[in-house]
Amino acid sequence: MNLTRQQYMEYGAPMLEGASFQADVVLVAPREFEVTRSQRTYREKNFTSFTERLDISSFQRDFIRRINEALGLEALAPYLRAVGLKVAILNCNVAPHSTEELARKIIASGAKVVGISMIYRPQAAQALDLIEALRVAPEIKVAVGGALASYMPMQLLSRLARLDAVVFGEAEETFRDYAKAVVDGTDYSNLPGVAFKQDGRVRINDAATPLHLPEVLAPSRDTLGYLALTNHDTRIASLYTSRGCMAGCTFCTGKDAYNVGRKKTYRYRDPKAVVDEIEALHAEFGVRFVYINDDNFLGYGRASYERVREFAQTLIDRKLGIQFATECRVDGLHDETLKLLKRAGMVQVLLGIESGSDAVLVRWKKGATVAQNKAALTLTRELGIQVEPGFILLDAETTQSEMFDNLRFIRESGLERTLFPLYMINRLSVYPGTAIEPTLIKLGTIRPSAIQDNRLADNPLAVREEFQRLEYLCNDRRTEIVWRALRWAIEPFEQGVEDVMPRVTAVLTKARTLGDPEVRRRAGELIRSASQWRRRLGELTTRFLELGAESYDVAGHHRQFLVLRSRLRAAREVYERETLNMSMDAFMEQVMELRAALPAGGLELTPAPSKEISAVA
């Protein structure tokens, strides 16, 4: 579907606050919030919406490399529209909606089918709330899909009376056929890739066959249409060049999400078609940065590397001036291929480093070594490619020795010098369907699931408890104490990076422009301090990790916790003095003084409404 920006803006209109629209199918990407009590990690919290991130000041602009476009739902939309169905996408990560507003819009639209994305755990909370909110509209069929849902159709269907179906694995053709059957009132009971309820029990059909990616339709761009409609920046877009992963990492769901119930596959698109898609995004939306959402961009074998090189050379030949980022395994990096990708515009890569301990990498069946991790970091640094570290500091079995292994690796590899040092304080999350889940059940670390059978019993609370079940305590209590103390210490910095400091520097930037000479001078000083605070976070993160590793030698668990908290607090205070030249509280007081000194109306930090809204909506 070669649609224009204006047409996509029409598709984005349902996301507007209070919008009314008609649809046969509504696709929902829930807002991401963690549903567990104590296992939250940086990537599983959402201080701001993705829309807010696009509009923040230059303090963070260089770090914003992707937005949550709900690409999976946008991949479904053209298939549904091609068979004549009216489709609306409600992406709550760029256009936040309350659950009540979602339900109101869905019911008012006259939709016969709702598809809800459940890719990973942070989406589950609002997804579950929405399913329950739609009890008042039993005539609407409610289906869920995505990696998380694909691994637990039995649990979801057997305990959520309001849920009608789970579409598992690759969904473009499956969900199209399911939705079309519902709208037309025809039978869908034999569709591959669908699980549903029949005669009081859960029925799970066989998996659908893999799609031939060169023939897959390009995703719709409803989210970019909404951003354009509301006058937000559309400089960033997402796409994929391949699907699947052949690795055996025990903690990962994403690698198998496309292959649930069938043999693993790794498939890729025609590289020229990918560049055609990028060129269209650049032409219609002014996209200048593309995030490639592949599980393993480089793939496996000569043919995959040849298509990657063809992709890079085609980008170079077309002179689009596009930058891009992607995700790779450390054991797949080749010097010449990376050099070509760098020339083509690759500026950042998420590397699946995971650990600095060979014993841990073996335990997780990562299929890579610490030496390969170091080599990958050295190569990317030499080429000037930024690294986003995929790093897991600890799991349930982490020992003091492994903690020191990680610390040594961080120091020797310079991992703390990446743009994302806070990502290093992370712990392994357990997901339903992963290989590590039964291992931890056998060890007694987590409980067996109480909702594995297919007898129907309406109990939404049991589904929420299913995610709580996957929380764990580290087997070594000292490791658990280190984790909890580190989370306590690092969370204010996470919130500072993502939410507080961008807003602060927006105020200071206005002050440097609109204030009198003294206000401008003070604002400049505070901006430089804020920049230093952000730039040196790697030093602080490493210091926190050092203190955590050293605390194992403190006698007594309660005393270890108190001593570690005290040392972490002192390290934070030293860091604030060295970077801000004052405490954070004093820094914020000065910012507020400058804000008060600005002329009224000088602090409009959100984009003005687009003049095109009334015409499109």
Side-chain angles (χ1 to χ4, degrees):
M1 298 178 69
N2 297 318
L3 301 181
T4 66
R5 174 189 178 101
Q6 184 70 23
Q7 288 171 308
Y8 278 128
M9 289 169 71
E10 294 173 8
Y11 282 156
M15 288 186 242
L16 293 172
E17 184 177 356
S20 296
F21 56 91
Q22 295 297 305
D24 299 306
V25 181
V26 177
L27 302 175
V28 180
R31 181 76 186 270
E32 296 173 10
F33 293 105
E34 184 51 84
V35 296
T36 58
R37 289 183 292 265
S38 62
Q39 302 295 312
R40 296 189 309 162
T41 63
Y42 191 10
R43 297 168 194 259
E44 294 175 339
K45 291 196 297 291
N46 214 346
F47 298 114
T48 59
S49 74
F50 285 87
T51 312
E52 291 172 303
R53 295 182 197 183
L54 288 171
D55 299 319
I56 56 183
S57 69
S58 57
F59 174 81
Q60 270 288 79
R61 187 180 179 93
D62 289 341
F63 302 99
I64 303 304
R65 297 300 196 192
R66 58 178 176 261
I67 58 171
N68 190 332
E69 255 192 276
L71 195 62
L73 297 184
E74 292 186 338
L76 300 181
Y79 282 81
L80 296 164
R81 288 168 178 153
V83 294
L85 297 176
K86 294 180 181 179
V87 180
I89 294 178
L90 301 178
N91 182 352
C92 296
N93 289 293
V94 296
H97 285 63
S98 67
T99 302
E100 294 74 17
E101 174 69 359
L102 285 174
R104 186 202 66 76
K105 281 187 172 183
I106 290 166
I107 294 169
S109 74
K112 293 186 177 180
V113 182
V114 174
I116 304 174
S117 177
M118 288 183 68
I119 302 174
Y120 40 65
R121 202 163 57 196
Q123 290 182 312
Q126 191 170 38
L128 295 174
D129 289 344
L130 178 58
I131 292 168
E132 289 305 297
L134 291 173
R135 281 182 183 269
V136 298
E139 70 281 4
I140 301 174
K141 289 288 187 181
V142 179
V144 297
L148 181 60
S150 292
Y151 281 103
M152 51 188 306
M154 187 69 71
Q155 294 94 319
L156 294 171
L157 287 166
S158 66
R159 293 298 180 264
L160 298 175
R162 185 59 192 89
L163 182 63
D164 297 293
V166 174
V167 177
F168 58 91
E170 240 166 349
E172 282 96 331
E173 294 181 355
T174 301
F175 187 75
R176 174 200 63 194
D177 295 344
Y178 171 79
K180 182 66 172 170
V182 170
V183 172
D184 292 347
T186 58
D187 181 38
Y188 57 79
S189 61
N190 292 316
L191 281 177
V194 177
F196 58 98
K197 297 165 186 171
Q198 186 176 65
D199 300 326
R201 299 182 74 83
V202 175
R203 173 175 162 180
I204 302 178
N205 289 343
D206 292 337
T209 57
L211 298 177
H212 183 51
L213 291 196
E215 297 177 357
V216 169
L217 300 178
S220 178
R221 294 293 170 176
D222 296 40
T223 293
L224 290 180
Y226 167 77
L227 293 175
L229 180 62
T230 51
N231 204 31
H232 288 96
D233 200 329
T234 57
R235 71 182 188 276
I236 303 171
S238 302
L239 52 79
Y240 67 92
T241 76
S242 69
R243 290 184 180 179
C245 179
M246 303 302 289
C249 308
T250 61
F251 54 82
C252 183
T253 58
K255 63 185 175 64
D256 294 327
Y258 296 112
N259 304 313
V260 172
R262 68 191 188 202
K263 185 179 179 180
K264 287 183 182 179
T265 64
Y266 182 81
R267 294 153 292 139
Y268 43 82
R269 300 171 57 194
D270 175 10
K272 285 188 169 60
V274 175
V275 179
D276 288 343
E277 184 177 355
I278 293 173
E279 190 166 9
L281 289 168
H282 178 65
E284 294 296 343
F285 292 101
V287 166
R288 301 185 298 283
F289 190 95
V290 172
Y291 193 89
I292 299 174
N293 277 330
D294 297 12
D295 292 311
N296 184 13
F297 171 60
L298 295 176
Y300 307 87
R302 179 178 297 177
S304 182
Y305 279 91
E306 287 177 354
R307 62 99 189 176
V308 167
R309 286 191 284 269
E310 183 179 357
F311 164 76
Q313 190 60 55
T314 305
L315 271 179
I316 292 169
D317 293 344
R318 295 196 191 177
K319 299 179 181 179
L320 298 178
I322 298 291
Q323 294 184 326
F324 64 94
T326 188
E327 305 180 15
C328 301
R329 286 179 56 86
V330 297
D331 56 0
L333 303 186
H334 293 169
D335 191 342
E336 293 305 316
T337 300
L338 273 188
K339 287 179 179 177
L340 184 62
L341 288 168
K342 170 73 174 177
R343 282 182 55 212
M346 181 172 167
V347 295
Q348 182 179 308
V349 60
L350 192 161
L351 287 179
I353 297 165
E354 315 309 356
S355 179
S357 166
D358 279 313
V360 173
L361 293 174
V362 170
R363 184 161 75 231
W364 294 341
K365 297 184 179 179
K366 182 64 187 176
T369 65
V370 171
Q372 288 173 317
N373 284 342
K374 290 180 179 178
L377 289 169
T378 298
L379 178 58
T380 52
R381 186 172 293 119
E382 288 175 350
L383 294 178
I385 297 173
Q386 298 169 351
V387 171
E388 179 180 347
F391 193 78
I392 304 172
L393 179 67
L394 56 88
D395 69 355
E397 301 175 71
T398 295
T399 63
Q400 180 181 16
S401 174
E402 291 168 350
M403 190 72 79
F404 273 106
D405 285 343
N406 277 331
L407 182 56
R408 187 181 309 111
F409 170 77
I410 289 168
R411 287 169 172 160
E412 293 176 355
S413 67
L415 190 64
E416 82 282 358
R417 297 198 298 272
T418 68
L419 292 177
F420 311 93
L422 301 181
Y423 285 7
M424 294 188 298
I425 299 184
N426 199 359
R427 74 184 282 166
L428 185 140
S429 293
V430 183
Y431 279 83
T434 53
I436 203 168
E437 182 190 7
T439 299
L440 294 183
I441 291 173
K442 186 176 181 179
L443 291 172
T445 304
I446 61 174
R447 297 178 288 108
S449 174
I451 55 174
Q452 289 290 352
D453 63 71
N454 65 347
R455 291 170 294 182
L456 303 182
D458 188 16
N459 191 349
L461 182 59
V463 178
R464 287 184 181 270
E465 290 176 347
E466 177 74 357
F467 298 111
Q468 303 293 347
R469 159 186 94 80
L470 299 169
E471 296 185 26
Y472 57 85
L473 297 176
C474 296
N475 297 334
D476 186 335
R477 282 192 64 187
R478 296 172 301 172
T479 302
E480 183 68 25
I481 287 168
V482 169
W483 165 252
R484 295 189 180 215
L486 288 175
R487 289 303 321 147
W488 167 82
I490 209 71
E491 185 156 337
F493 289 92
E494 294 170 348
Q495 190 160 13
V497 165
E498 190 169 322
D499 187 26
V500 177
M501 279 299 191
R503 298 177 189 278
V504 161
T505 52
V507 169
L508 294 176
T509 300
K510 293 287 186 181
R512 196 165 57 175
T513 303
L514 302 176
D516 61 34
E518 177 60 17
V519 167
R520 292 198 297 270
R521 182 192 65 78
R522 290 177 60 196
E525 290 179 353
L526 293 177
I527 286 174
R528 287 189 289 274
S529 295
S531 178
Q532 184 171 222
W533 179 92
R534 175 64 177 88
R535 189 172 58 252
R536 293 177 56 187
L537 280 175
E539 300 173 27
L540 176 72
T541 306
T542 305
R543 181 56 182 154
F544 280 177
L545 293 175
E546 290 171 348
L547 293 172
E550 292 167 1
S551 74
Y552 279 83
D553 296 330
V554 177
H557 296 135
H558 183 63
R559 186 166 181 270
Q560 179 195 4
F561 183 70
L562 294 178
V563 169
L564 180 53
R565 288 257 300 224
S566 176
R567 291 174 178 173
L568 292 170
R569 184 184 295 108
R572 182 197 69 206
E573 292 170 352
V574 169
Y575 183 76
E576 290 175 356
R577 288 197 301 271
E578 290 181 348
T579 58
L580 300 175
N581 300 312
M582 64 191 82
S583 69
M584 178 59 77
D585 288 343
F587 177 85
M588 293 302 295
E589 287 177 4
Q590 291 202 23
V591 171
M592 296 307 293
E593 287 177 8
L594 293 185
R595 183 179 186 276
L598 291 177
L603 285 174
E604 180 59 54
L605 302 182
T606 57
S610 169
K611 296 178 181 179
E612 300 169 293
I613 288 179
S614 58
V616 175

